Amino acid sequence: MAADYYKTLGVSKEADADEIRKAYRRLARKHHPDLNPGDKAAEDRFKTVQEAYDVLSEPKKKTMYDQYGFYSENGMPQGGAAGAGSRGPNMGFGGFDFSDGPQTAGGRRGTAESSSNFQDIFSQWFGGKQADATAAPPEKGADLEYGLSIDFWQAIKGTQVRLNVTRQETCPTCNGTGSRAGANAVCPECNGSGSVTQTAGAMKFSLTCPRCDGTGRLRNKCTTCHGDGVVSKSETVDVRIPAGAQQGSRLRVAGKGNSGTHGAAAGDLYITIRVEPHPIFRREGDDIEITVPVRIDEAGLGTKIEVPTIDGRALLKIPQGTKNGQKFRLREKGVLNSRTNTRGDQLVEVALEAPVVQDERTKELLREYATLHPEDPRAELWTKV
């Protein structure tokens, strides 16, 4: 069964290019291997999403997929749809009669028009690369996805990093044509027609010329890009990480994706941020959370203590009778949101620490405390059992 690429991206068959692109970016970000380290299922899902987008984002591939339910670089496989039978890819039906009209003196029935119409149907996918010889419309270059790990403080304060990016650029020698300068010679195999004839019994087939790939001319391939029209280039890109960047943040660097074709704009570079955890600070949105140990005498009598924040030390009042797990809020001691220019808060959770009893005086004081407060703290618990 062929894969349902529309279902893979979660869009309808009537979705336009913009909807398909947005769905791809959302899923690529969700399943990106850099954001799911060690998750084989996420990696496979990312590859499946990439495969679906590769087909549905290109008009020619999408047209074939919509018509036949799959896409292949070689056209219809043997025994495939549309009555392919035992034909191989790129085979035409020149010289074979499918009409029901009366036979003419030349041994053919019907008109040249009916034969031509039938052949046109199949040559849409099997006519070799003759259609490709015409000028293709300009296409924007593909976007690139990179993952970047930064530490906690780089995310909080912001930073600038340098990335080594490998991207496809237009070949400077041939300007993306894939050919060297000068006229291309006529193919001697097909004499410039782009097709050759092969006979099998009473049937005659027209096949794409294997020497010129159906263009009718022998192309002088560019020696720099070997006919691809693009070359791989490593480039250093400076990326500014804004203050307050979060786990999974996605940054866009315009024009740093792969080059477009025929003068079209280059794609963009998208960088997904992964923030390494901090040993004591935890982040929840723009808020910072921290757990601070407090002695029982400090909690019972009340006091003021110093607590660490991302700005340094801050004074926190511990009221009398503070309970274990109780949280206090330090206003505007959280992360600066660069979009709203506001800061979050810091939440301080109290963790009561039992005293370490190593001398008789401490034991005596604790016994005295037990005498003064004989109430059972678990009494209410039993009423709810």
Side-chain angles (χ1 to χ4, degrees):
M1 294 287 291
D4 188 341
Y5 291 149
Y6 290 101
K7 185 176 180 181
T8 298
L9 296 181
V11 298
S12 67
K13 292 186 177 181
E14 292 74 29
D16 57 24
D18 188 54
E19 291 179 87
I20 291 173
R21 183 170 59 255
K22 288 180 179 178
Y24 161 70
R25 289 180 176 175
R26 174 175 55 80
L27 292 173
R29 177 181 179 182
K30 177 180 179 182
H31 300 291
H32 199 285
D34 286 335
L35 295 181
N36 301 273
D39 190 339
K40 180 64 176 175
E43 181 180 347
D44 293 341
R45 176 66 174 162
F46 179 79
K47 292 178 181 178
T48 303
V49 169
Q50 184 68 54
E51 176 186 338
Y53 181 70
D54 285 344
V55 172
L56 298 184
S57 63
E58 294 192 19
K60 182 178 177 181
K61 294 181 180 180
K62 183 176 183 295
T63 301
M64 181 179 182
Y65 178 78
D66 289 342
Q67 189 168 352
Y68 297 104
F70 76 98
Y71 173 76
S72 171
E73 295 288 349
N74 296 322
M76 295 288 287
Q78 294 186 3
S86 61
R87 295 176 291 104
N90 300 329
M91 285 187 177
F93 284 82
F96 191 77
D97 180 25
F98 287 90
S99 63
D100 294 325
Q103 185 170 355
T104 65
R108 295 180 62 83
R109 298 185 180 89
T111 65
E113 181 181 0
S114 64
S115 177
S116 175
N117 289 341
F118 188 87
Q119 185 168 348
D120 287 344
I121 295 174
F122 287 88
S123 66
Q124 180 180 1
W125 302 115
F126 312 132
K129 300 185 179 179
Q130 291 175 342
D132 294 342
T134 61
E139 289 188 13
K140 183 183 177 182
D143 296 333
L144 296 179
E145 295 274 352
Y146 269 72
L148 176 64
S149 294
I150 59 176
D151 64 34
F152 177 83
W153 291 112
Q154 287 176 319
I156 296 297
K157 305 295 184 181
T159 186
Q160 185 157 328
V161 297
R162 284 193 168 185
L163 283 180
N164 288 322
V165 177
T166 301
R167 51 193 295 264
Q168 299 290 327
E169 286 205 341
T170 301
C171 176
T173 304
C174 64
N175 292 322
T177 64
S179 301
R180 288 186 292 177
N184 296 330
V186 175
C187 175
E189 186 83 12
C190 63
N191 293 322
S193 67
S195 61
V196 293
T197 301
Q198 180 175 321
T199 303
M203 299 180 67
K204 184 170 62 176
F205 298 95
S206 177
L207 300 107
T208 299
C209 177
R211 187 166 181 180
C212 65
D213 290 333
T215 63
R217 306 187 74 85
L218 295 179
R219 188 174 61 155
N220 294 321
K221 291 185 178 181
C222 173
T223 56
T224 302
C225 65
H226 306 290
D228 294 331
V230 293
V231 292
S232 294
K233 178 184 177 182
S234 294
E235 181 179 346
T236 300
V237 179
D238 290 324
V239 181
R240 188 183 69 85
I241 309 297
Q246 298 190 41
Q247 171 82 0
S249 295
R250 201 159 178 255
L251 306 178
R252 171 177 170 264
V253 184
K256 291 300 181 181
N258 288 336
S259 294
T261 61
H262 303 287
D268 300 326
L269 170 64
Y270 288 91
I271 301 170
T272 304
I273 302 297
R274 183 172 62 205
V275 182
E276 297 173 358
H278 191 274
I280 64 169
F281 291 119
R282 303 181 301 277
R283 184 173 176 182
E284 193 65 41
D286 293 333
D287 292 336
I288 294 293
E289 297 179 352
I290 187 174
T291 300
V292 176
V294 174
R295 299 195 313 267
I296 58 172
D297 59 294
E298 292 174 325
L301 300 175
T303 187
K304 291 182 180 181
I305 62 173
E306 284 188 333
V307 296
T309 72
I310 60 174
D311 297 322
R313 296 169 180 258
L315 201 61
L316 175 67
K317 181 180 179 181
I318 302 296
Q320 183 177 348
T322 294
K323 295 180 174 58
N324 185 54
Q326 192 168 342
K327 292 183 178 181
F328 299 95
R329 185 181 297 270
L330 295 174
R331 298 287 180 184
E332 297 186 354
K333 290 294 184 181
V335 182
L336 174 66
N337 189 314
S338 57
R339 287 179 295 180
T340 62
N341 201 33
T342 57
R343 292 190 63 166
D345 301 330
Q346 176 163 315
L347 301 176
V348 181
E349 181 180 359
V350 170
L352 291 185
E353 286 200 344
V356 178
V357 181
Q358 295 179 331
D359 58 274
E360 287 300 322
R361 177 58 178 161
T362 302
K363 293 180 181 179
E364 182 181 342
L365 291 174
L366 289 175
R367 293 191 190 101
E368 184 177 348
Y369 174 82
T371 303
L372 292 173
H373 298 278
E375 60 272 9
D376 184 359
R378 295 168 292 282
E380 185 179 354
L381 178 66
W382 291 107
T383 65
K384 298 178 181 179
V385 173

